[in-house]
Amino acid sequence: AGFRNFTNKLWNISRFMLLNIKKPSRKAKRPTPKTLADQWILSRLDTVTRVVTEHLERYNFSAAGELLRDFTWGDLADWYLEIAKIEKNKDAMLNYLLNVVLTLWHPFMPFVTEQIWSETYGKKAMLMVAPWPVYKSGKGNKKIASDFFLIQSLVSRIRALRADYRIEPAKRVRVVIRPGKYEKLLKAEPHLMQELARLEELTIARRGEKPGSAVGFVEKGVEVYL
């Protein structure tokens, strides 16, 4: 039942990506990342491709499938595709991601992935004979992952506070952040937090009094007041 639901999810993910790709290409090359989110999803894709490949070579099929499912549903669908709605002009990124993800899933879901592939690229261009994805091992991946994880954590905890205080999803709120040593990072990516956490106003300041009637939390030295 879980993988039946995931099959529907993969269809929806593919359709969303194709709606945002002007001219899909089955030979899409690895694009140059333009934002932190781009850097993060490519580094995660590299890691997942490497580990899934290792698992398959050792016949650890269950571990490979679980890792791939977590990446596709969590990192790709829940985070990156939501960011793609905010950061526009991601044709090249989405095309590359779609091709790699379908190829990685093909050993597990050959009929579904082949159908999506053939509807996109034609029946003569079979996914079955497409080359297996290659990956890059970047030295900066750990820092990229750490920076993006901080933004994820802040957004998730703001969402949790909204739920705790029963703030309607449509209602936008104001947030004040004392960034500590992460001032440069947070000031470079304010649009992500503002849209993903549905904020009316986001203030990032080193100093200042705690806002009145506010609730908050601390994450890795970053103070957040809602």
Side-chain angles (χ1 to χ4, degrees):
F3 272 96
R4 178 198 60 201
N5 294 337
F6 176 77
T7 302
N8 290 334
K9 186 72 174 181
L10 186 63
W11 274 103
N12 292 334
I13 288 171
S14 301
R15 291 187 186 282
F16 171 82
M17 295 171 86
L18 288 168
L19 284 172
N20 290 276
I21 301 171
K22 293 178 182 177
K23 293 183 179 180
S25 170
R26 64 186 176 90
K27 295 182 179 180
K29 295 181 179 179
R30 183 188 181 95
T32 300
K34 297 179 181 178
T35 66
L36 175 63
D38 293 345
Q39 293 176 319
W40 169 75
I41 198 66
L42 287 177
S43 71
R44 287 289 302 128
L45 185 64
D46 285 335
T47 300
V48 168
T49 301
R50 175 179 59 80
V51 178
V52 165
T53 302
E54 290 172 354
H55 280 319
L56 291 178
E57 289 172 346
R58 296 169 185 167
Y59 306 102
N60 297 328
F61 303 125
S62 180
E66 288 175 8
L67 175 64
L68 196 49
R69 179 186 180 281
D70 290 345
F71 167 78
T72 307
W73 201 316
D75 295 337
L76 180 61
D78 289 350
W79 286 97
Y80 188 75
L81 294 188
E82 289 303 311
I83 291 170
K85 297 174 184 177
I86 302 166
E87 299 176 345
K88 305 299 182 181
N89 301 318
K90 292 197 178 290
D91 291 51
M93 284 291 302
L94 293 175
N95 200 161
Y96 179 76
L97 289 167
L98 175 65
N99 291 359
V100 175
V101 167
L102 288 177
T103 306
L104 290 174
W105 272 114
H106 189 65
F108 298 92
M109 314 167 68
F111 298 102
V112 172
T113 51
E114 194 73 73
Q115 184 67 26
I116 297 171
W117 190 271
S118 65
E119 285 186 10
T120 305
Y121 302 122
K123 293 185 178 181
K124 292 183 179 180
M126 294 189 70
L127 177 56
M128 183 188 297
V129 294
W132 188 251
V134 295
Y135 58 86
K136 291 177 65 176
S137 54
K139 293 182 179 179
N141 284 359
K142 288 186 178 179
K143 185 180 186 309
I144 292 169
S146 176
D147 287 347
F148 194 81
F149 180 72
L150 175 62
I151 292 174
Q152 281 181 304
S153 298
L154 295 178
V155 169
S156 296
R157 294 192 66 177
I158 291 171
R159 287 173 173 174
L161 270 182
R162 292 177 62 108
D164 290 343
Y165 286 87
R166 299 180 181 179
I167 300 172
E168 300 91 349
K171 184 176 178 61
R172 290 186 173 263
V173 297
R174 290 180 292 168
V175 166
V176 175
I177 295 180
R178 294 180 188 169
K181 65 179 181 180
Y182 296 103
E183 181 177 11
K184 184 178 179 180
L185 168 66
L186 297 179
K187 283 189 173 181
E189 303 287 341
H191 61 290
L192 290 187
M193 292 187 57
Q194 198 148 0
E195 292 301 321
L196 292 174
R198 300 192 64 79
L199 306 182
E200 178 184 23
E201 182 181 336
L202 174 61
T203 303
I204 301 173
R206 286 188 180 183
R207 298 176 183 176
E209 296 183 2
K210 174 182 174 181
S213 303
V215 292
F217 61 86
V218 178
E219 180 75 29
K220 294 182 72 173
V222 178
E223 298 178 39
V224 179
Y225 299 103
L226 176 68

